[in-house]
Amino acid sequence: MIDFTRDGHLHTPFCPHGSTDPLQAYVEQALARGIKTLTFTEHAPLPARFQDPTPDKDSAMAFELLPDYIEALQSLKRTYPALDLRLGLEIDYLPGYEAETLALLEPYADVLDETILSQHFILVDGELLPVDFSLETFHVLVERIGSFEAVMKQYYTALAAGLAFPWERLKVDRIGHIDLPIKYQSNYVWDRSNVQAEQSRLLQTMAARGFGIDVNTAGLRKPECGQPYAIDVASEAAGLGIPFVLGSDAHIAVDVAAGFNDIQKKATFL
């Protein structure tokens, strides 16, 4: 069963590429839309050795802001005691930086309620390149790897390998936007059946580890995507017993729970 009164993927003013909408605005929008459980999952700070390859260098919250973020969410919980408000992070899976990511964030694990593990970068010839910054930077990936389908295969394969690390130590319980490259899919000719083997291996790995899936409605707001992330893997995931958590991936308050009605129409197979 999927809980349509839960938004499990939200960003905040602490996001350098998000909005300045106050936290209270997100909560009030959630309450107006009948949401009872709300998880803030700001982009977790990245290891010091990691050099952000995005043109704007704005992929994640600065490490020095993490205590302020935690304090702000704890205060918000006290302000809205009737709401099941959860303190979380969206943690980046960075091939080659796994141990550093765990070491950086583990001192804060005790105050976290739940977190998402997401992949926003792909390793190509020793270089981590962004997946979802822009169509231009994504096309660099396509050219370097060979095709849209090759990007999808490498995305799935890398993430499956990354799940070998003990992410539970950081309260990870689900994987974010599992098929993020489809953000730009309308610009390419591709067939999901050609990446089925890699998709299935990833889902089987997730099921074995007990990780859920972030059914992410942000894809509906991306014109070159036109669908929720994870919707095309939902049937196979359900067959493996993988749980689903709806997430709006809102970076502005008005997008809290956006698209949930569209998902509800497809709930028969979720």
Side-chain angles (χ1 to χ4, degrees):
M1 292 292 292
I2 195 161
D3 184 356
F4 290 94
T5 68
R6 178 182 181 186
D7 190 338
H9 191 153
L10 293 175
H11 294 278
T12 73
F14 289 89
C15 178
H17 60 264
S19 81
T20 57
D21 290 347
L23 291 169
Q24 290 83 356
Y26 287 82
V27 174
E28 293 299 334
Q29 179 76 343
L31 294 171
R33 288 186 164 168
I35 298 299
K36 298 177 181 177
T37 302
L38 202 61
T39 306
F40 285 93
T41 54
E42 194 49 81
H43 292 286
L46 303 170
R49 185 171 63 90
F50 176 75
Q51 300 296 310
D52 189 345
T54 64
D56 293 344
K57 313 295 183 190
D58 65 348
S59 293
M61 174 171 48
F63 180 71
E64 58 268 22
L65 292 179
L66 182 54
D68 294 337
Y69 169 74
I70 291 169
E71 182 179 346
L73 265 293
Q74 290 174 332
S75 175
L76 199 67
K77 287 185 177 188
R78 293 190 292 270
T79 303
Y80 295 91
L83 182 66
D84 182 4
L85 201 157
R86 302 179 185 180
L87 197 170
L89 291 170
E90 182 176 12
I91 298 165
D92 255 285
Y93 169 59
L94 302 170
Y97 295 82
E98 299 91 347
E100 288 161 87
T101 300
L102 286 160
L104 179 70
L105 299 176
E106 197 164 9
Y108 300 90
D110 286 348
V111 300
L112 299 172
D113 297 312
E114 60 189 39
T115 64
I116 297 172
L117 182 70
S118 297
Q119 182 176 217
H120 295 93
F121 304 92
I122 293 180
L123 187 65
V124 184
D125 299 326
E127 181 181 7
L128 282 168
L129 298 177
V131 174
D132 67 329
F133 180 83
S134 68
L135 176 58
E136 291 72 25
T137 58
F138 181 78
H139 195 63
V140 170
L141 266 182
V142 174
E143 291 181 328
R144 292 276 296 272
I145 298 177
S147 68
F148 182 88
E149 289 176 354
V151 171
M152 288 290 290
K153 288 180 179 181
Q154 188 160 331
Y155 189 88
Y156 283 147
T157 299
L159 190 50
L163 295 187
F165 291 83
W167 299 109
E168 295 89 345
R169 284 160 44 185
L170 301 181
K171 304 285 183 69
V172 169
D173 77 342
R174 58 189 177 276
I175 306 303
H177 38 61
I178 189 175
D179 47 6
L180 183 60
I182 69 168
K183 179 176 181 178
Y184 304 111
Q185 65 179 343
S186 69
N187 298 283
Y188 304 92
V189 176
W190 78 292
D191 185 338
R192 186 173 281 273
S193 67
N194 292 331
V195 303
Q196 184 63 51
E198 292 78 10
Q199 174 183 303
S200 295
R201 278 196 292 272
L202 172 57
L203 291 173
Q204 288 161 10
T205 302
M206 289 170 59
R209 293 294 306 282
F211 290 133
I213 285 184
D214 165 50
V215 179
N216 188 307
T217 60
L220 290 167
R221 305 192 295 275
K222 311 300 181 184
E224 294 162 311
C225 180
Q227 65 184 77
Y229 300 117
I231 201 71
D232 284 345
V233 308
S235 181
E236 183 178 4
L240 292 168
I242 295 174
F244 302 99
V245 178
L246 272 177
S248 63
D249 207 345
H251 285 70
I252 55 176
V254 72
D255 284 338
V256 174
F260 283 20
N261 288 338
D262 297 86
I263 296 287
Q264 198 157 16
K265 293 173 186 176
K266 305 180 186 342
T268 52
F269 68 90
L270 283 178

